[in-house]
Amino acid sequence: MANPKEKNQKISVSSLKQFKQNHKKITALTAYDFPTAKILDEAGLDIILVGDSLGNVILGYENTLPVTMADMLHHLKAVRRAVKKSLLVVDLPLLGTRDQRPGTRVKNILKLIDAGAEAVKIEGLEHLDLIKECIKAGIPVMGHIGFTPQDIEKLGGAKMQGKTKEAAEKLIKDAKQLEAAGVFAIVIELVPEDVATQITAAVEIPTIGIGAGRHTDGQVLVLHDILGLTQGKTPKFVKQYANLGDLTKQAVQSYIRDVTA
Ligand code: KIV
């Protein structure tokens, strides 16, 4: 099969498994609006994630917990208008998991698909039943294990997971369970590098790490963190590739000087 990366073709869910088989690393970043999504897509990124980090990165909340389905839909639609080649994945926010009426959560997720998401990321294994329902309904699902930001209160902060032997074994078991349920990839967040390496070897589907070392099948980061646009603390594992925060401030100060002169 032709390699979509080399042919500059549209990335699909099935491209990712091929990348793992061919030892080609998968690249992913978040985007929440039209202009940045267009830049990422044109730069050749494999996956664009409309993450529920929207809450803290864009909407000014302390964490992802207050993000609504309406918030996700609004930003997803803007990103959809920009993305041509990258695979477009959207997060199911915590509030989208809360409605327990039969079939309602899948109906909500279908709204994300109707708005142009090609796959949905669902955190943790607490919603394994929902993950299975989605897959049965033909919705591609990406898993997310390790530190799951929607559990920030339960976990007592953004803390490294899987540090003990038992916790590491549980993560490997969770990854295998998600694979058996039919997810097409798994995000592994804030896990020691050796544990993320073991998980990656234990499953055939690609793993995408964030703060999980170098040996996952791909990497994902929050765009604003790598561009120096994050207001407040950036996680230690983030490499900053530019300081657009400072550049923007300087540009705006030049503008103010020009106008006032
Ligand atoms: O919400 C998000 O942005 C995420 C990642 C960065 C993995 O879940």
PDB file of all heavy atoms in Angstrom, residues 44-81:
ATOM      1  N   GLY A  44       2.066  19.513   7.189  1.00  0.00           N
ATOM      2  CA  GLY A  44       2.204  18.067   6.989  1.00  0.00           C
ATOM      3  C   GLY A  44       2.058  17.237   8.253  1.00  0.00           C
ATOM      4  O   GLY A  44       2.577  16.113   8.319  1.00  0.00           O
ATOM      5  N   LEU A  45       1.361  17.760   9.237  1.00  0.00           N
ATOM      6  CA  LEU A  45       1.142  17.017  10.485  1.00  0.00           C
ATOM      7  C   LEU A  45       0.185  15.842  10.226  1.00  0.00           C
ATOM      8  O   LEU A  45      -0.771  15.972   9.462  1.00  0.00           O
ATOM      9  CB  LEU A  45       0.511  17.999  11.491  1.00  0.00           C
ATOM     10  CG  LEU A  45       0.495  17.573  12.937  1.00  0.00           C
ATOM     11  CD1 LEU A  45       1.889  17.679  13.555  1.00  0.00           C
ATOM     12  CD2 LEU A  45      -0.473  18.450  13.731  1.00  0.00           C
ATOM     13  N   ASP A  46       0.415  14.709  10.895  1.00  0.00           N
ATOM     14  CA  ASP A  46      -0.447  13.536  10.668  1.00  0.00           C
ATOM     15  C   ASP A  46      -1.824  13.699  11.317  1.00  0.00           C
ATOM     16  O   ASP A  46      -2.839  13.394  10.717  1.00  0.00           O
ATOM     17  CB  ASP A  46       0.213  12.270  11.238  1.00  0.00           C
ATOM     18  CG  ASP A  46       1.508  11.953  10.524  1.00  0.00           C
ATOM     19  OD1 ASP A  46       1.570  12.152   9.297  1.00  0.00           O
ATOM     20  OD2 ASP A  46       2.471  11.522  11.191  1.00  0.00           O
ATOM     21  N   ILE A  47      -1.821  14.138  12.593  1.00  0.00           N
ATOM     22  CA  ILE A  47      -3.100  14.209  13.322  1.00  0.00           C
ATOM     23  C   ILE A  47      -3.285  15.608  13.910  1.00  0.00           C
ATOM     24  O   ILE A  47      -2.377  16.147  14.548  1.00  0.00           O
ATOM     25  CB  ILE A  47      -3.142  13.195  14.497  1.00  0.00           C
ATOM     26  CG1 ILE A  47      -2.935  11.757  13.984  1.00  0.00           C
ATOM     27  CG2 ILE A  47      -4.456  13.301  15.274  1.00  0.00           C
ATOM     28  CD1 ILE A  47      -2.857  10.713  15.093  1.00  0.00           C
ATOM     29  N   ILE A  48      -4.466  16.163  13.700  1.00  0.00           N
ATOM     30  CA  ILE A  48      -4.842  17.400  14.394  1.00  0.00           C
ATOM     31  C   ILE A  48      -5.926  17.022  15.392  1.00  0.00           C
ATOM     32  O   ILE A  48      -6.936  16.407  15.037  1.00  0.00           O
ATOM     33  CB  ILE A  48      -5.334  18.475  13.396  1.00  0.00           C
ATOM     34  CG1 ILE A  48      -4.151  18.904  12.511  1.00  0.00           C
ATOM     35  CG2 ILE A  48      -5.940  19.670  14.145  1.00  0.00           C
ATOM     36  CD1 ILE A  48      -4.460  19.979  11.491  1.00  0.00           C
ATOM     37  N   LEU A  49      -5.667  17.352  16.653  1.00  0.00           N
ATOM     38  CA  LEU A  49      -6.605  17.010  17.724  1.00  0.00           C
ATOM     39  C   LEU A  49      -7.272  18.279  18.242  1.00  0.00           C
ATOM     40  O   LEU A  49      -6.584  19.191  18.714  1.00  0.00           O
ATOM     41  CB  LEU A  49      -5.851  16.322  18.877  1.00  0.00           C
ATOM     42  CG  LEU A  49      -6.641  16.106  20.171  1.00  0.00           C
ATOM     43  CD1 LEU A  49      -7.743  15.058  19.984  1.00  0.00           C
ATOM     44  CD2 LEU A  49      -5.726  15.683  21.318  1.00  0.00           C
ATOM     45  N   VAL A  50      -8.595  18.324  18.139  1.00  0.00           N
ATOM     46  CA  VAL A  50      -9.327  19.383  18.835  1.00  0.00           C
ATOM     47  C   VAL A  50      -9.514  18.839  20.255  1.00  0.00           C
ATOM     48  O   VAL A  50     -10.450  18.089  20.543  1.00  0.00           O
ATOM     49  CB  VAL A  50     -10.675  19.697  18.159  1.00  0.00           C
ATOM     50  CG1 VAL A  50     -11.369  20.861  18.851  1.00  0.00           C
ATOM     51  CG2 VAL A  50     -10.470  20.022  16.683  1.00  0.00           C
ATOM     52  N   GLY A  51      -8.532  19.144  21.089  1.00  0.00           N
ATOM     53  CA  GLY A  51      -8.519  18.580  22.444  1.00  0.00           C
ATOM     54  C   GLY A  51      -9.439  19.366  23.362  1.00  0.00           C
ATOM     55  O   GLY A  51      -9.705  20.548  23.132  1.00  0.00           O
ATOM     56  N   ASP A  52      -9.870  18.705  24.434  1.00  0.00           N
ATOM     57  CA  ASP A  52     -10.657  19.462  25.415  1.00  0.00           C
ATOM     58  C   ASP A  52      -9.734  20.308  26.303  1.00  0.00           C
ATOM     59  O   ASP A  52     -10.191  21.035  27.189  1.00  0.00           O
ATOM     60  CB  ASP A  52     -11.623  18.570  26.218  1.00  0.00           C
ATOM     61  CG  ASP A  52     -10.917  17.523  27.044  1.00  0.00           C
ATOM     62  OD1 ASP A  52      -9.683  17.371  26.924  1.00  0.00           O
ATOM     63  OD2 ASP A  52     -11.611  16.827  27.827  1.00  0.00           O
ATOM     64  N   SER A  53      -8.416  20.256  26.007  1.00  0.00           N
ATOM     65  CA  SER A  53      -7.486  21.234  26.584  1.00  0.00           C
ATOM     66  C   SER A  53      -7.904  22.635  26.147  1.00  0.00           C
ATOM     67  O   SER A  53      -7.409  23.635  26.674  1.00  0.00           O
ATOM     68  CB  SER A  53      -6.046  20.947  26.150  1.00  0.00           C
ATOM     69  OG  SER A  53      -5.975  20.793  24.750  1.00  0.00           O
ATOM     70  N   LEU A  54      -8.810  22.695  25.167  1.00  0.00           N
ATOM     71  CA  LEU A  54      -9.530  23.923  24.828  1.00  0.00           C
ATOM     72  C   LEU A  54      -9.912  24.708  26.102  1.00  0.00           C
ATOM     73  O   LEU A  54      -9.798  25.936  26.135  1.00  0.00           O
ATOM     74  CB  LEU A  54     -10.815  23.496  24.081  1.00  0.00           C
ATOM     75  CG  LEU A  54     -11.868  24.542  23.778  1.00  0.00           C
ATOM     76  CD1 LEU A  54     -11.367  25.486  22.716  1.00  0.00           C
ATOM     77  CD2 LEU A  54     -13.153  23.861  23.301  1.00  0.00           C
ATOM     78  N   GLY A  55     -10.349  23.971  27.115  1.00  0.00           N
ATOM     79  CA  GLY A  55     -10.809  24.591  28.370  1.00  0.00           C
ATOM     80  C   GLY A  55      -9.747  25.475  28.992  1.00  0.00           C
ATOM     81  O   GLY A  55      -9.975  26.663  29.246  1.00  0.00           O
ATOM     82  N   ASN A  56      -8.544  24.903  29.228  1.00  0.00           N
ATOM     83  CA  ASN A  56      -7.495  25.683  29.886  1.00  0.00           C
ATOM     84  C   ASN A  56      -6.677  26.505  28.905  1.00  0.00           C
ATOM     85  O   ASN A  56      -6.236  27.602  29.226  1.00  0.00           O
ATOM     86  CB  ASN A  56      -6.592  24.788  30.765  1.00  0.00           C
ATOM     87  CG  ASN A  56      -6.237  23.480  30.111  1.00  0.00           C
ATOM     88  OD1 ASN A  56      -7.117  22.675  29.802  1.00  0.00           O
ATOM     89  ND2 ASN A  56      -4.973  23.268  29.869  1.00  0.00           N
ATOM     90  N   VAL A  57      -6.490  26.003  27.661  1.00  0.00           N
ATOM     91  CA  VAL A  57      -5.600  26.697  26.720  1.00  0.00           C
ATOM     92  C   VAL A  57      -6.290  27.927  26.112  1.00  0.00           C
ATOM     93  O   VAL A  57      -5.671  28.974  25.962  1.00  0.00           O
ATOM     94  CB  VAL A  57      -5.136  25.730  25.592  1.00  0.00           C
ATOM     95  CG1 VAL A  57      -4.258  26.451  24.571  1.00  0.00           C
ATOM     96  CG2 VAL A  57      -4.371  24.552  26.176  1.00  0.00           C
ATOM     97  N   ILE A  58      -7.564  27.787  25.768  1.00  0.00           N
ATOM     98  CA  ILE A  58      -8.250  28.842  25.005  1.00  0.00           C
ATOM     99  C   ILE A  58      -9.328  29.562  25.814  1.00  0.00           C
ATOM    100  O   ILE A  58      -9.488  30.773  25.713  1.00  0.00           O
ATOM    101  CB  ILE A  58      -8.908  28.229  23.736  1.00  0.00           C
ATOM    102  CG1 ILE A  58      -7.851  27.577  22.848  1.00  0.00           C
ATOM    103  CG2 ILE A  58      -9.736  29.257  22.961  1.00  0.00           C
ATOM    104  CD1 ILE A  58      -6.862  28.536  22.218  1.00  0.00           C
ATOM    105  N   LEU A  59     -10.091  28.801  26.588  1.00  0.00           N
ATOM    106  CA  LEU A  59     -11.257  29.418  27.228  1.00  0.00           C
ATOM    107  C   LEU A  59     -10.956  30.006  28.608  1.00  0.00           C
ATOM    108  O   LEU A  59     -11.825  30.609  29.222  1.00  0.00           O
ATOM    109  CB  LEU A  59     -12.404  28.392  27.318  1.00  0.00           C
ATOM    110  CG  LEU A  59     -12.888  27.823  25.969  1.00  0.00           C
ATOM    111  CD1 LEU A  59     -14.018  26.822  26.169  1.00  0.00           C
ATOM    112  CD2 LEU A  59     -13.345  28.940  25.031  1.00  0.00           C
ATOM    113  N   GLY A  60      -9.743  29.786  29.099  1.00  0.00           N
ATOM    114  CA  GLY A  60      -9.340  30.423  30.356  1.00  0.00           C
ATOM    115  C   GLY A  60      -9.838  29.722  31.605  1.00  0.00           C
ATOM    116  O   GLY A  60      -9.791  30.287  32.697  1.00  0.00           O
ATOM    117  N   TYR A  61     -10.304  28.473  31.475  1.00  0.00           N
ATOM    118  CA  TYR A  61     -10.668  27.708  32.668  1.00  0.00           C
ATOM    119  C   TYR A  61      -9.400  27.144  33.295  1.00  0.00           C
ATOM    120  O   TYR A  61      -8.344  27.071  32.654  1.00  0.00           O
ATOM    121  CB  TYR A  61     -11.586  26.530  32.313  1.00  0.00           C
ATOM    122  CG  TYR A  61     -12.951  26.907  31.798  1.00  0.00           C
ATOM    123  CD1 TYR A  61     -13.412  26.402  30.580  1.00  0.00           C
ATOM    124  CD2 TYR A  61     -13.806  27.730  32.526  1.00  0.00           C
ATOM    125  CE1 TYR A  61     -14.673  26.721  30.105  1.00  0.00           C
ATOM    126  CE2 TYR A  61     -15.069  28.055  32.050  1.00  0.00           C
ATOM    127  CZ  TYR A  61     -15.493  27.544  30.840  1.00  0.00           C
ATOM    128  OH  TYR A  61     -16.735  27.855  30.363  1.00  0.00           O
ATOM    129  N   GLU A  62      -9.548  26.646  34.528  1.00  0.00           N
ATOM    130  CA  GLU A  62      -8.393  26.082  35.218  1.00  0.00           C
ATOM    131  C   GLU A  62      -8.012  24.714  34.634  1.00  0.00           C
ATOM    132  O   GLU A  62      -6.861  24.302  34.669  1.00  0.00           O
ATOM    133  CB  GLU A  62      -8.773  25.914  36.686  1.00  0.00           C
ATOM    134  CG  GLU A  62      -7.622  26.101  37.623  1.00  0.00           C
ATOM    135  CD  GLU A  62      -8.146  26.150  39.031  1.00  0.00           C
ATOM    136  OE1 GLU A  62      -8.860  27.125  39.366  1.00  0.00           O
ATOM    137  OE2 GLU A  62      -7.874  25.196  39.764  1.00  0.00           O
ATOM    138  N   ASN A  63      -9.009  23.992  34.153  1.00  0.00           N
ATOM    139  CA  ASN A  63      -8.764  22.649  33.612  1.00  0.00           C
ATOM    140  C   ASN A  63      -9.813  22.330  32.545  1.00  0.00           C
ATOM    141  O   ASN A  63     -10.564  23.225  32.128  1.00  0.00           O
ATOM    142  CB  ASN A  63      -8.766  21.607  34.747  1.00  0.00           C
ATOM    143  CG  ASN A  63     -10.028  21.707  35.595  1.00  0.00           C
ATOM    144  OD1 ASN A  63     -11.125  21.852  35.066  1.00  0.00           O
ATOM    145  ND2 ASN A  63      -9.878  21.671  36.909  1.00  0.00           N
ATOM    146  N   THR A  64      -9.886  21.053  32.143  1.00  0.00           N
ATOM    147  CA  THR A  64     -10.774  20.683  31.027  1.00  0.00           C
ATOM    148  C   THR A  64     -12.224  20.400  31.478  1.00  0.00           C
ATOM    149  O   THR A  64     -13.098  20.224  30.634  1.00  0.00           O
ATOM    150  CB  THR A  64     -10.240  19.413  30.313  1.00  0.00           C
ATOM    151  OG1 THR A  64     -10.278  18.313  31.231  1.00  0.00           O
ATOM    152  CG2 THR A  64      -8.819  19.596  29.828  1.00  0.00           C
ATOM    153  N   LEU A  65     -12.434  20.346  32.779  1.00  0.00           N
ATOM    154  CA  LEU A  65     -13.726  19.842  33.281  1.00  0.00           C
ATOM    155  C   LEU A  65     -14.965  20.649  32.847  1.00  0.00           C
ATOM    156  O   LEU A  65     -16.011  20.052  32.590  1.00  0.00           O
ATOM    157  CB  LEU A  65     -13.704  19.702  34.817  1.00  0.00           C
ATOM    158  CG  LEU A  65     -12.541  18.873  35.401  1.00  0.00           C
ATOM    159  CD1 LEU A  65     -12.743  18.633  36.891  1.00  0.00           C
ATOM    160  CD2 LEU A  65     -12.374  17.545  34.678  1.00  0.00           C
ATOM    161  N   PRO A  66     -14.895  21.997  32.753  1.00  0.00           N
ATOM    162  CA  PRO A  66     -16.124  22.718  32.389  1.00  0.00           C
ATOM    163  C   PRO A  66     -16.458  22.701  30.889  1.00  0.00           C
ATOM    164  O   PRO A  66     -17.486  23.251  30.497  1.00  0.00           O
ATOM    165  CB  PRO A  66     -15.822  24.165  32.826  1.00  0.00           C
ATOM    166  CG  PRO A  66     -14.535  24.135  33.567  1.00  0.00           C
ATOM    167  CD  PRO A  66     -13.811  22.926  33.121  1.00  0.00           C
ATOM    168  N   VAL A  67     -15.613  22.097  30.068  1.00  0.00           N
ATOM    169  CA  VAL A  67     -15.827  22.173  28.609  1.00  0.00           C
ATOM    170  C   VAL A  67     -17.101  21.414  28.219  1.00  0.00           C
ATOM    171  O   VAL A  67     -17.319  20.272  28.632  1.00  0.00           O
ATOM    172  CB  VAL A  67     -14.597  21.592  27.859  1.00  0.00           C
ATOM    173  CG1 VAL A  67     -14.839  21.577  26.354  1.00  0.00           C
ATOM    174  CG2 VAL A  67     -13.356  22.397  28.192  1.00  0.00           C
ATOM    175  N   THR A  68     -17.932  22.067  27.404  1.00  0.00           N
ATOM    176  CA  THR A  68     -19.216  21.466  27.018  1.00  0.00           C
ATOM    177  C   THR A  68     -19.123  20.878  25.602  1.00  0.00           C
ATOM    178  O   THR A  68     -18.192  21.185  24.851  1.00  0.00           O
ATOM    179  CB  THR A  68     -20.327  22.535  27.016  1.00  0.00           C
ATOM    180  OG1 THR A  68     -19.981  23.504  26.012  1.00  0.00           O
ATOM    181  CG2 THR A  68     -20.480  23.213  28.361  1.00  0.00           C
ATOM    182  N   MET A  69     -20.133  20.105  25.254  1.00  0.00           N
ATOM    183  CA  MET A  69     -20.230  19.582  23.885  1.00  0.00           C
ATOM    184  C   MET A  69     -20.346  20.759  22.909  1.00  0.00           C
ATOM    185  O   MET A  69     -19.780  20.726  21.818  1.00  0.00           O
ATOM    186  CB  MET A  69     -21.455  18.672  23.744  1.00  0.00           C
ATOM    187  CG  MET A  69     -21.293  17.312  24.353  1.00  0.00           C
ATOM    188  SD  MET A  69     -20.007  16.322  23.545  1.00  0.00           S
ATOM    189  CE  MET A  69     -20.796  15.957  21.996  1.00  0.00           C
ATOM    190  N   ALA A  70     -21.094  21.788  23.308  1.00  0.00           N
ATOM    191  CA  ALA A  70     -21.273  22.956  22.424  1.00  0.00           C
ATOM    192  C   ALA A  70     -19.927  23.644  22.168  1.00  0.00           C
ATOM    193  O   ALA A  70     -19.644  24.062  21.033  1.00  0.00           O
ATOM    194  CB  ALA A  70     -22.269  23.925  23.039  1.00  0.00           C
ATOM    195  N   ASP A  71     -19.093  23.755  23.221  1.00  0.00           N
ATOM    196  CA  ASP A  71     -17.747  24.340  23.039  1.00  0.00           C
ATOM    197  C   ASP A  71     -16.967  23.520  22.014  1.00  0.00           C
ATOM    198  O   ASP A  71     -16.339  24.067  21.097  1.00  0.00           O
ATOM    199  CB  ASP A  71     -16.940  24.299  24.354  1.00  0.00           C
ATOM    200  CG  ASP A  71     -17.484  25.216  25.443  1.00  0.00           C
ATOM    201  OD1 ASP A  71     -18.092  26.245  25.097  1.00  0.00           O
ATOM    202  OD2 ASP A  71     -17.294  24.893  26.636  1.00  0.00           O
ATOM    203  N   MET A  72     -16.984  22.198  22.188  1.00  0.00           N
ATOM    204  CA  MET A  72     -16.197  21.332  21.291  1.00  0.00           C
ATOM    205  C   MET A  72     -16.693  21.451  19.854  1.00  0.00           C
ATOM    206  O   MET A  72     -15.900  21.557  18.917  1.00  0.00           O
ATOM    207  CB  MET A  72     -16.275  19.856  21.747  1.00  0.00           C
ATOM    208  CG  MET A  72     -15.640  19.557  23.086  1.00  0.00           C
ATOM    209  SD  MET A  72     -13.937  20.112  23.287  1.00  0.00           S
ATOM    210  CE  MET A  72     -13.050  19.111  22.123  1.00  0.00           C
ATOM    211  N   LEU A  73     -18.008  21.459  19.689  1.00  0.00           N
ATOM    212  CA  LEU A  73     -18.595  21.535  18.345  1.00  0.00           C
ATOM    213  C   LEU A  73     -18.203  22.842  17.653  1.00  0.00           C
ATOM    214  O   LEU A  73     -17.847  22.858  16.475  1.00  0.00           O
ATOM    215  CB  LEU A  73     -20.121  21.429  18.431  1.00  0.00           C
ATOM    216  CG  LEU A  73     -20.660  19.996  18.525  1.00  0.00           C
ATOM    217  CD1 LEU A  73     -22.112  19.991  18.993  1.00  0.00           C
ATOM    218  CD2 LEU A  73     -20.534  19.286  17.182  1.00  0.00           C
ATOM    219  N   HIS A  74     -18.277  23.936  18.417  1.00  0.00           N
ATOM    220  CA  HIS A  74     -17.960  25.259  17.883  1.00  0.00           C
ATOM    221  C   HIS A  74     -16.528  25.294  17.322  1.00  0.00           C
ATOM    222  O   HIS A  74     -16.297  25.723  16.188  1.00  0.00           O
ATOM    223  CB  HIS A  74     -18.129  26.275  19.023  1.00  0.00           C
ATOM    224  CG  HIS A  74     -17.841  27.681  18.654  1.00  0.00           C
ATOM    225  ND1 HIS A  74     -18.685  28.430  17.877  1.00  0.00           N
ATOM    226  CD2 HIS A  74     -16.793  28.485  18.944  1.00  0.00           C
ATOM    227  CE1 HIS A  74     -18.173  29.633  17.717  1.00  0.00           C
ATOM    228  NE2 HIS A  74     -17.029  29.697  18.353  1.00  0.00           N
ATOM    229  N   HIS A  75     -15.575  24.795  18.123  1.00  0.00           N
ATOM    230  CA  HIS A  75     -14.169  24.850  17.700  1.00  0.00           C
ATOM    231  C   HIS A  75     -13.865  23.795  16.629  1.00  0.00           C
ATOM    232  O   HIS A  75     -13.093  24.050  15.702  1.00  0.00           O
ATOM    233  CB  HIS A  75     -13.254  24.720  18.918  1.00  0.00           C
ATOM    234  CG  HIS A  75     -13.269  25.966  19.745  1.00  0.00           C
ATOM    235  ND1 HIS A  75     -12.352  26.975  19.579  1.00  0.00           N
ATOM    236  CD2 HIS A  75     -14.142  26.389  20.700  1.00  0.00           C
ATOM    237  CE1 HIS A  75     -12.642  27.967  20.403  1.00  0.00           C
ATOM    238  NE2 HIS A  75     -13.724  27.633  21.099  1.00  0.00           N
ATOM    239  N   LEU A  76     -14.483  22.628  16.772  1.00  0.00           N
ATOM    240  CA  LEU A  76     -14.289  21.566  15.775  1.00  0.00           C
ATOM    241  C   LEU A  76     -14.693  22.057  14.379  1.00  0.00           C
ATOM    242  O   LEU A  76     -13.988  21.824  13.388  1.00  0.00           O
ATOM    243  CB  LEU A  76     -15.130  20.340  16.179  1.00  0.00           C
ATOM    244  CG  LEU A  76     -15.318  19.256  15.113  1.00  0.00           C
ATOM    245  CD1 LEU A  76     -13.980  18.600  14.773  1.00  0.00           C
ATOM    246  CD2 LEU A  76     -16.302  18.187  15.599  1.00  0.00           C
ATOM    247  N   LYS A  77     -15.834  22.762  14.308  1.00  0.00           N
ATOM    248  CA  LYS A  77     -16.316  23.215  12.993  1.00  0.00           C
ATOM    249  C   LYS A  77     -15.326  24.189  12.346  1.00  0.00           C
ATOM    250  O   LYS A  77     -15.106  24.146  11.141  1.00  0.00           O
ATOM    251  CB  LYS A  77     -17.690  23.876  13.132  1.00  0.00           C
ATOM    252  CG  LYS A  77     -18.801  22.854  13.342  1.00  0.00           C
ATOM    253  CD  LYS A  77     -20.131  23.553  13.522  1.00  0.00           C
ATOM    254  CE  LYS A  77     -21.197  22.570  13.951  1.00  0.00           C
ATOM    255  NZ  LYS A  77     -22.420  23.262  14.397  1.00  0.00           N
ATOM    256  N   ALA A  78     -14.716  25.062  13.166  1.00  0.00           N
ATOM    257  CA  ALA A  78     -13.721  26.008  12.629  1.00  0.00           C
ATOM    258  C   ALA A  78     -12.503  25.239  12.101  1.00  0.00           C
ATOM    259  O   ALA A  78     -12.002  25.517  11.008  1.00  0.00           O
ATOM    260  CB  ALA A  78     -13.301  26.991  13.710  1.00  0.00           C
ATOM    261  N   VAL A  79     -12.054  24.257  12.880  1.00  0.00           N
ATOM    262  CA  VAL A  79     -10.876  23.473  12.478  1.00  0.00           C
ATOM    263  C   VAL A  79     -11.193  22.670  11.216  1.00  0.00           C
ATOM    264  O   VAL A  79     -10.389  22.594  10.283  1.00  0.00           O
ATOM    265  CB  VAL A  79     -10.421  22.556  13.648  1.00  0.00           C
ATOM    266  CG1 VAL A  79      -9.364  21.560  13.198  1.00  0.00           C
ATOM    267  CG2 VAL A  79      -9.886  23.410  14.804  1.00  0.00           C
ATOM    268  N   ARG A  80     -12.398  22.097  11.173  1.00  0.00           N
ATOM    269  CA  ARG A  80     -12.804  21.278  10.010  1.00  0.00           C
ATOM    270  C   ARG A  80     -12.671  22.061   8.696  1.00  0.00           C
ATOM    271  O   ARG A  80     -12.270  21.532   7.673  1.00  0.00           O
ATOM    272  CB  ARG A  80     -14.239  20.788  10.213  1.00  0.00           C
ATOM    273  CG  ARG A  80     -14.842  19.968   9.088  1.00  0.00           C
ATOM    274  CD  ARG A  80     -14.212  18.584   8.925  1.00  0.00           C
ATOM    275  NE  ARG A  80     -12.979  18.549   8.172  1.00  0.00           N
ATOM    276  CZ  ARG A  80     -12.212  17.478   8.045  1.00  0.00           C
ATOM    277  NH1 ARG A  80     -12.512  16.356   8.655  1.00  0.00           N
ATOM    278  NH2 ARG A  80     -11.102  17.506   7.343  1.00  0.00           N
ATOM    279  N   ARG A  81     -13.031  23.358   8.757  1.00  0.00           N
ATOM    280  CA  ARG A  81     -12.976  24.179   7.534  1.00  0.00           C
ATOM    281  C   ARG A  81     -11.548  24.314   7.010  1.00  0.00           C
ATOM    282  O   ARG A  81     -11.334  24.613   5.845  1.00  0.00           O
ATOM    283  CB  ARG A  81     -13.563  25.579   7.798  1.00  0.00           C
ATOM    284  CG  ARG A  81     -15.075  25.535   7.971  1.00  0.00           C
ATOM    285  CD  ARG A  81     -15.690  26.901   8.257  1.00  0.00           C
ATOM    286  NE  ARG A  81     -16.949  26.693   8.936  1.00  0.00           N
ATOM    287  CZ  ARG A  81     -17.237  27.058  10.183  1.00  0.00           C
ATOM    288  NH1 ARG A  81     -16.353  27.744  10.888  1.00  0.00           N
ATOM    289  NH2 ARG A  81     -18.402  26.761  10.712  1.00  0.00           N
TER     290      ARG A  81
END
